[in-house]
Amino acid sequence: MHRYRFVLFRPLQFLPVLFGISVVTFVLVRLIPGDPARILLGTRATPTAIANIRAQYGLDEPMWTQYLYFLKNLGAGEMGKSTLYKIDVLRLIATRVEPTLALVLAGVVLALLIAVPFAAISARRQGTVADHTVRVLSTAGIGFPSFWLGAMLIILFSVKLDWLPVSGYGETLFDKLTHLVLPGLTIALSLSAVLTRSLRAGMVAGLQSDIATAARARGMSENIVFWRHVVPNALVPTINLLAINIGWLIGGTVVVESVFALPGLGQLMVRGIFSRDYMVVQGVALTFAVATVLINFVADIITVALDPRIEL
Amino acid sequence: MIRNWTKAALLGLALSTTAVAYAEAQGVLTIGRREDGTTFDPIATAQNIDFWVLSNVFDVLVRVDNKGEALVPGIAKSWDISPDGLTYTFLLRPAKFSDGTDLTAADVAYSLTRIRDNELSLWSDSYKIIKDMQTPDANTLVITLSGPSAPFLSTLAMPGASIVSKAAMEAMGEEAFAEMPVGSGAFMVDEWRRGDRVILKKNPNYWDADKVSLDGVEWRSIPDDNTRMLAVQAGELDAAIYVPFSRVDELKMDANLSVVADPSTREDHLLLNHSHPGLDNAKVREAIDYAIDKKAIVEAVTFNLGEIANSYIPKGALYHSDDNGARGFDPEKAKALLAEANVGPLSLTYLVDAGDQTAEQIAILVQQQLAAVGITVTLQKVDPSQTWDMLISGDYDMGVNYWTNDILDPDQKTTFVLGHDVNNNYMTNYKNDVVKDMVAAARLEMDPTKRAVLYAEIQKQAKSDVHWIDLYYSPFISVTRKGVENFGQNPLGRFWLEQTTKNY
């Protein structure tokens, strides 16, 4: 079991990482020009009204004092009061985590559903028309901007065919799933392009490897050789690729959430930035940071589990 | 094993796509808007997005009528103003809050005290004039002012002055109330899924409940303009607001939809910084006004849905005056005036909100039009949240801005723009003591006829001084499914959903 020792020690390294991220986002959001009090008041802002709000939210204090308050709040299980929504940011984030998480999951699952069969066809029929078609498609897939792709999917599946809802998020599980298909597909189509290329390369190498040759020599059918020996090995680098891309994936959800009106963290973040709602921005940034760190951690565990040769 | 898993997932996916039920109650109107509200505490917000829903949930003492021309009874059945303009006596109609308790004069006094004194209030300044409030009986409220104020009654119609239940606010606490408010409006909050939608249901205790046809209203937030329009086209929404001007023609062609254009008080104008050399010369400002082809702007920006603005008081609004000597488009006259002013070659910086398509469009047009009379304009694109700071500190020559009225009375805008009060006359650094005195006098004048004369004179003088350049007025545009009747908003933005019907 010593190969899993890192599971105990790795989390200790998270603390300085998260501390660093909290300082950087805290400072960065305050360096952007613009004043939350002014934005809250709109065109009617008067100097006294602005001063009142700045005092109320502690925005008139020096930045390091504000940071200490932030840490103190975190210790008490709070993230500070949003200037725009006037409630604690943690409460805002709590309701927004699920749609974003569900969207990322839907995107990854659909991407794998697309990528594995395509990569398999491509790898097993190298050099054929099928192989070239898959490779061209996966190059094209990266090129489509998600706001355009999303709109096209809506026009086809919601307006013309009336199969799926245009926007929003559901209440029941079924309702939620139907609302996730199109946004999930939007993410999946570009993500699968990346995954297909990685999987194909892994599979091609796997098919020519000694393991495959040995398996064939033992009389196993080509199907068993492929799915039992080649695919699991090709998945290892793909999972790492996914983990590395998680930041990019979360960034992508911002646009997709906005196109499909999914009430997730990405939308909260965007509005937070436009309103200079410092507490919201640093809260969501910290949540994304924790998520990224955790996902990479889990990916490491999976990698170790899939490949007995790897030690971390 | 992976294969089985793939099969199962594909099957599940196929199942989930075959049938989608839009579980939608009959008589519930779903409206798409750009973003979700932020709070239901009336005093704590200055955003239209909140105001428009507050008006569904709360009552105010007096309302602005659907045309935006007069104040009509709200919770106050009638009112009486003392001859000295200091004492207002309101007689309240019998009404109940959504929780079934009686709405009394004490609740109104409590609500107005909150907007005046509470630290959460963004509107304290407008209500400081209230000196005292007395409630001789449950249906009578007597407000005493510290001085006469013609616009005071108008400020009582602002959604910020909504009447909240004192008992509920005290029992729940401010934060809980702001999420699940207790008001006396036509609708009540059933559920608020933050970031997604506000679900309102009909308030059975509303004083005029018999006339309300809708069972409920869902305000959904769909930030992407394109998606919001598609959602109406697909029938997922009954209505959508914030329709881009560019989409109107296309939506009109859809037989299932109706496009609604309601007059608004929005006025877009070009700010000029009077403290900068060149622009401190009235002849130069006049020349700029002559040089700008407002018709071209109305065509390009509003697709002819707007109209040329000739006064800072919007057309159709109280005390608007057409007869103020507005200037037409006359580049030759502009050149002549510039020659007369003799200030040499002019080079001006023009502040543009980056990412605001409309603002950028106007900027490019103005740049070309001024180039034609020999004025060089340099566009400076700045993040919208930063432009305000630059405008306030006078770090600009020109820039486009817009204003929408919160109250029926022109005093609020007039004071901000010409009152020589705060923010350097709306960042223009315009100075004219005659105008300053007239603005103050108009605020105190209680006789509507005399006020009309004063405001006509103010509009004339301001126009003659070119305090800024009026560009255009534009309407609110929304789109509904056919079968939605009487959906719309008054020029101040209030949606009269208590009169709206849905016939499908």
Side-chain angles (χ1 to χ4, degrees):
Chain A
M1 280 320 281
H2 72 281
R3 290 178 53 234
Y4 289 97
R5 256 184 330 201
F6 76 98
V7 175
L8 290 175
F9 301 114
R10 183 65 65 79
L12 291 176
Q13 299 172 8
F14 295 165
L15 286 174
V17 171
L18 291 177
F19 174 75
I21 290 167
S22 78
V23 174
V24 170
T25 52
F26 190 90
V27 174
L28 272 185
V29 65
R30 281 166 179 74
L31 287 182
I32 321 176
D35 177 359
R38 213 291 292 159
I39 293 165
L40 206 58
L41 287 160
T43 44
R44 283 78 170 141
T46 59
T48 36
I50 288 176
N52 280 345
I53 290 180
R54 295 183 62 83
Q56 208 176 317
Y57 288 91
L59 297 169
D60 50 352
E61 311 240 12
M63 214 189 276
W64 64 271
T65 322
Q66 290 185 46
Y67 185 73
L68 290 183
Y69 277 124
F70 177 56
L71 288 186
K72 194 181 143 218
N73 280 336
L74 277 183
E78 288 177 356
M79 274 185 174
K81 209 172 186 183
S82 149
T83 41
L84 187 61
Y85 298 96
K86 289 134 195 111
I87 63 171
D88 191 77
V89 169
L90 202 60
R91 282 193 51 216
L92 284 173
I93 289 176
T95 58
R96 303 295 191 97
V97 170
E98 190 196 301
T100 300
L101 201 66
L103 175 60
V104 172
L105 268 177
V108 169
V109 168
L110 289 173
L112 284 173
L113 287 183
I114 297 167
V116 171
F118 272 119
I121 292 168
S122 198
R124 296 177 78 179
R125 298 180 196 164
Q126 268 183 75
T128 64
V129 178
D131 182 24
H132 290 306
T133 312
V134 167
R135 290 165 74 179
V136 169
L137 280 179
S138 60
T139 311
I142 305 174
F144 290 126
S146 51
F147 60 87
W148 178 83
L149 200 58
M152 291 302 123
L153 289 174
I154 293 175
I155 291 174
L156 179 61
F157 289 104
S158 309
V159 181
K160 299 271 184 254
L161 296 171
D162 199 16
W163 286 358
L164 289 164
V166 178
S167 64
Y169 194 54
E171 279 293 274
T172 61
L173 182 65
F174 178 76
D175 206 13
K176 284 175 182 172
L177 286 176
T178 60
H179 278 96
L180 284 169
V181 176
L182 292 185
L185 206 55
T186 308
I187 290 185
L189 285 177
S190 52
L191 180 63
S192 64
V194 181
L195 296 187
T196 306
R197 291 152 71 102
S198 147
L199 275 170
R200 183 188 172 278
M203 287 172 183
V204 168
L207 282 169
Q208 294 159 353
S209 68
D210 294 346
I211 304 170
T213 314
R216 283 186 201 110
R218 277 185 287 155
M220 289 185 191
S221 78
E222 192 60 27
N223 269 335
I224 292 182
V225 171
F226 182 74
W227 290 108
R228 211 172 271 170
H229 297 286
V230 174
V231 171
N233 285 324
L235 276 175
V236 174
T238 306
I239 283 167
N240 277 314
L241 186 70
L242 261 179
I244 290 165
N245 274 312
I246 201 71
W248 170 80
L249 206 55
I250 289 175
T253 64
V254 174
V255 177
V256 175
E257 278 178 18
S258 159
V259 169
F260 290 94
L262 271 175
L265 286 171
Q267 274 205 61
L268 182 66
M269 179 74 143
V270 169
R271 201 161 167 208
I273 292 172
F274 281 127
S275 312
R276 298 292 185 271
D277 196 335
Y278 297 155
M279 300 296 174
V280 164
V281 177
Q282 68 208 24
V284 177
L286 202 60
T287 308
F288 281 158
V290 171
T292 308
V293 167
L294 280 181
I295 287 165
N296 277 290
F297 181 53
V298 171
D300 283 349
I301 297 175
I302 293 175
T303 309
V304 170
L306 280 178
D307 190 340
R309 291 166 305 180
I310 294 176
E311 285 203 28
L312 289 166
Chain B
M1 185 217 144
I2 289 182
R3 213 167 11 167
N4 288 340
W5 178 74
T6 314
K7 263 186 195 165
L10 277 174
L11 187 67
L13 185 70
L15 275 177
S16 69
T17 55
T18 45
V20 181
Y22 297 120
E24 198 181 290
Q26 199 64 39
V28 173
L29 190 78
T30 50
I31 312 168
R33 52 177 179 167
R34 205 174 272 155
E35 49 194 5
D36 189 31
T38 65
T39 178
F40 274 100
D41 189 340
I43 64 170
T45 176
Q47 316 214 7
N48 283 338
I49 209 88
D50 292 314
F51 271 13
W52 296 350
V53 182
L54 289 177
S55 305
N56 306 152
V57 173
F58 293 102
D59 269 314
V60 279
L61 269 182
V62 290
R63 267 187 209 171
V64 177
D65 69 349
N66 289 358
K67 288 189 154 171
E69 288 168 348
L71 293 172
V72 294
I75 276 299
K77 198 159 57 172
S78 62
W79 54 91
D80 184 60
I81 306 169
S82 68
D84 61 1
L86 291 181
T87 312
Y88 288 65
T89 309
F90 295 92
L91 190 63
L92 311 189
R93 67 174 83 243
K96 285 186 193 305
F97 285 112
S98 56
D99 61 3
T101 56
D102 285 334
L103 186 160
T104 68
D107 293 300
V108 185
Y110 173 76
S111 306
L112 293 178
T113 310
R114 277 190 88 229
I115 198 168
R116 184 189 63 184
D117 298 341
N118 193 300
E119 65 155 5
L120 288 174
S121 174
L122 303 183
W123 299 96
S124 297
D125 291 343
S126 306
Y127 298 86
K128 286 270 187 275
I129 192 155
I130 300 179
K131 195 170 82 179
D132 181 49
M133 281 183 280
Q134 293 296 326
T135 53
D137 64 64
N139 295 320
T140 312
L141 175 73
V142 182
I143 299 180
T144 314
L145 304 186
S146 54
S149 163
F152 176 67
L153 203 57
S154 284
T155 62
L156 295 178
M158 208 194 56
S162 289
I163 300 158
V164 301
S165 159
K166 180 178 188 232
M169 178 71 83
E170 284 174 352
M172 296 167 80
E174 280 170 333
E175 202 169 307
F177 188 96
E179 293 191 38
M180 225 4 132
V182 179
S184 61
F187 300 93
M188 55 200 272
V189 179
D190 188 26
E191 195 190 343
W192 183 11
R193 296 186 213 151
R194 275 182 181 276
D196 182 25
R197 67 191 69 188
V198 177
I199 303 171
L200 307 177
K201 61 179 179 197
K202 186 179 169 176
N203 173 10
N205 292 308
Y206 177 54
W207 61 269
D208 208 10
D210 293 347
K211 291 212 184 114
V212 179
S213 153
L214 294 174
D215 297 323
V217 176
E218 266 190 48
W219 284 100
R220 290 195 41 199
S221 68
I222 303 179
D224 188 273
D225 285 342
N226 197 26
T227 308
R228 201 165 54 253
M229 299 307 121
L230 287 172
V232 190
Q233 285 175 308
E236 190 173 300
L237 295 174
D238 299 310
I241 62 172
Y242 298 119
V243 176
F245 295 128
S246 57
R247 301 294 299 274
V248 169
D249 279 343
E250 174 205 338
L251 292 170
K252 272 184 177 162
M253 280 192 284
D254 190 327
N256 299 316
L257 307 179
S258 318
V259 175
V260 185
D262 290 312
S264 85
T265 59
R266 174 165 173 160
E267 191 233 350
D268 287 60
H269 46 253
L270 186 66
L271 300 175
L272 299 175
N273 186 350
H274 296 219
S275 68
H276 279 193
L279 292 173
D280 56 358
N281 187 324
K283 286 211 170 70
V284 172
R285 299 197 299 271
E286 254 187 274
I288 294 174
D289 198 5
Y290 277 118
I292 294 176
D293 183 0
K294 285 117 190 160
K295 189 154 173 288
I297 294 176
V298 168
E299 274 167 20
V301 175
T302 75
F303 292 78
N304 269 330
L305 291 156
E307 61 179 308
I308 296 173
N310 55 358
S311 163
Y312 79 95
I313 297 183
K315 195 178 173 187
L318 217 52
Y319 302 125
H320 166 87
S321 163
D322 267 332
D323 176 30
N324 63 347
R327 298 171 188 87
F329 172 51
D330 192 344
E332 289 314 312
K333 192 149 189 186
K335 282 184 201 161
L337 278 162
L338 283 173
E340 224 179 290
N342 196 22
V343 288
L346 268 177
S347 175
L348 304 172
T349 28
Y350 183 129
L351 220 51
V352 197
D353 279 352
D356 180 339
Q357 238 181 324
T358 312
E360 288 182 13
Q361 237 178 331
I362 299 173
I364 290 166
L365 285 170
V366 168
Q367 187 183 33
Q368 288 166 353
Q369 291 163 1
L370 292 186
V373 299
I375 300 175
T376 315
V377 173
T378 316
L379 304 185
Q380 190 182 0
K381 287 192 187 176
V382 180
D383 187 85
S385 58
Q386 203 184 345
T387 37
W388 181 268
D389 297 329
M390 296 179 69
L391 291 170
I392 284 281
S393 55
D395 188 12
Y396 80 105
D397 291 322
M398 54 206 304
V400 159
N401 217 306
Y402 74 88
W403 178 285
T404 54
N405 292 1
D406 298 316
I407 66 169
L408 184 65
D409 199 277
D411 174 67
Q412 184 199 30
K413 185 179 184 182
T414 308
T415 305
F416 263 101
V417 176
L418 304 167
H420 299 67
D421 186 28
V422 290
N423 299 346
N424 315 316
N425 270 344
Y426 213 62
M427 294 83 76
T428 58
N429 294 301
Y430 167 59
K431 278 186 194 70
N432 183 337
D433 285 340
V434 179
V435 170
K436 179 187 175 183
D437 293 342
M438 282 196 288
V439 173
R443 191 180 307 129
L444 300 179
E445 180 56 64
M446 298 300 283
D447 179 353
T449 334
K450 288 182 188 161
R451 280 191 92 201
V453 174
L454 273 169
Y455 277 114
E457 195 48 45
I458 291 171
Q459 288 168 79
K460 207 180 229 170
Q461 193 58 54
K463 185 56 109 181
S464 147
D465 293 340
V466 203
H467 72 109
W468 70 24
I469 291 169
D470 301 299
L471 294 176
Y472 63 90
Y473 308 127
S474 54
F476 294 121
I477 310 273
S478 39
V479 58
T480 68
R481 304 278 305 170
K482 284 263 160 70
V484 175
E485 305 291 340
N486 209 1
F487 175 84
Q489 53 194 138
N490 74 13
L492 299 175
R494 182 182 189 278
F495 286 91
W496 52 77
L497 294 173
E498 65 279 358
Q499 297 165 19
T500 304
T501 55
K502 176 181 162 181
N503 310 314
Y504 54 85

